[in-house]
Amino acid sequence: TVIPLMVTFGSTEYRTGVDIDAERFWEMMTAPSAPFPRTAACSPGDFQAAFGRTFDGGADEIVCITVGGKLSATLKSAQIARDAMPDRPIHVVDGDSASYGFGMLVLLAADLARTGASAAEIVAEVERRKPDCRLYVVLETLEYLKRGGRISGAKAAIGGILSVKPIITVEDGLVETADQPRTRGKARERLFELLTAKPVERAVVLHGQASDVAAFADELAARAGIARSSVMIRLIGPAIGPHVGPGAYGAVVLRRA
């Protein structure tokens, strides 16, 4: 079960993945004179309703993995919903990342559930593997970080003059700059270095309408020594897209334990 976050264009609010998909989001995001989208967490009521439906469907226990608690109020909403159902075994896990940075942990949890692992065993393994899950994305421009209030206008202007292509990551649940290469070519090479610094178990390529993502996925698989068929390519969704902007690309890797 996926509980949608909210994105708002102007006065219209959409549930991500329900009322608006990634393709439509980017159409709206890049339209001339489009209002800058705002994002919001889902409510405790959303979680409580989803938990109830899941138990009604026959679940004995629930493991809920959310976007990082330092990045969004989503974790708090899930905890409030859990606490409102004290007689139900609900395990809420802080994913400590964003997008497939915690989505990779969800995939891992689903794999464990299919093998018959208990909720406690799944939570323990997810917590153990968190440090192995690494996200790196190179930005085409600093403009969207500026518009979202993440950096100052002066810093964005200087970055544009210097042709800086920042590579961002998530460290200790917060968005940080991993490096600031000066050209696209240097940024691409540095991205590969960061992603393959340690042996890779699986990978997901992410992009915001970036070009040549298939070629990037091909090279990442080759450098990581994993099957190209195992590397998914996913369009960045409405919850993260406003902060990274069009042209952003990168990947999430799960390093071998």
Side-chain angles (χ1 to χ4, degrees):
T1 299
V2 178
I3 303 172
L5 276 67
M6 311 304 294
V7 61
T8 302
F9 281 91
S11 60
T12 306
E13 188 174 64
Y14 303 89
R15 293 168 296 171
T16 61
V18 179
D19 307 315
I20 185 171
D21 61 13
E23 289 78 8
R24 178 57 180 155
F25 163 77
W26 286 106
E27 289 176 8
M28 296 174 67
M29 174 85 168
T30 56
S33 303
F36 188 75
R38 293 175 287 111
T39 58
C42 35
S43 71
D46 294 330
F47 276 104
Q48 196 167 349
F51 292 161
R53 289 193 300 270
T54 303
F55 283 120
D56 289 344
D60 296 318
E61 296 185 83
I62 290 175
V63 175
C64 173
I65 305 173
T66 76
V67 61
K70 296 177 183 178
L71 299 173
S72 169
T74 301
L75 173 67
K76 186 63 176 177
S77 290
Q79 291 170 334
I80 292 171
R82 174 201 61 198
D83 294 345
M85 305 173 73
D87 58 330
R88 296 289 200 172
I90 301 170
H91 308 261
V92 176
V93 179
D94 185 346
D96 275 334
S97 192
S99 186
Y100 265 87
F102 76 95
M104 188 73 82
L105 298 174
V106 174
L107 296 177
L108 176 64
D111 289 344
L112 291 167
R114 280 190 286 269
T115 68
S118 69
E121 290 170 335
I122 292 170
V123 170
E125 183 65 5
V126 166
E127 292 287 357
R128 186 180 76 86
R129 297 302 304 274
K130 271 188 197 178
D132 299 326
C133 194
R134 305 296 301 168
L135 177 154
Y136 294 99
V137 174
V138 60
L139 306 183
E140 178 62 24
T141 173
L142 293 169
E143 175 65 20
Y144 291 88
L145 285 177
K146 182 194 78 173
R147 292 175 69 179
R150 301 288 174 146
I151 62 171
S152 69
K155 187 172 182 179
I158 292 170
I161 292 170
L162 297 176
S163 299
V164 168
K165 303 298 179 187
I167 299 173
I168 59 172
T169 187
V170 178
E171 291 282 357
D172 297 322
L174 293 172
V175 176
E176 303 286 355
T177 301
D179 207 343
Q180 300 184 69
R182 290 281 296 273
T183 66
R184 288 188 182 89
K186 290 180 179 178
R188 182 184 175 91
E189 182 59 31
R190 181 62 177 141
L191 193 56
F192 282 128
E193 291 174 357
L194 290 166
L195 290 166
T196 60
K198 293 183 179 180
V200 173
E201 181 177 318
R202 64 170 79 173
V204 178
V205 169
L206 306 171
H207 72 101
Q209 290 190 322
S211 59
D212 299 326
V213 288
F216 176 78
D218 291 345
E219 188 167 352
L220 176 60
R223 291 197 184 202
I226 58 178
R228 172 61 183 86
S229 59
S230 71
V231 180
M232 298 186 292
I233 298 176
R234 293 291 182 266
L235 192 59
I236 293 171
I240 304 299
H243 306 294
V244 299
Y249 72 96
V252 175
V253 293
L254 182 66
R255 291 171 172 167
R256 292 179 194 162

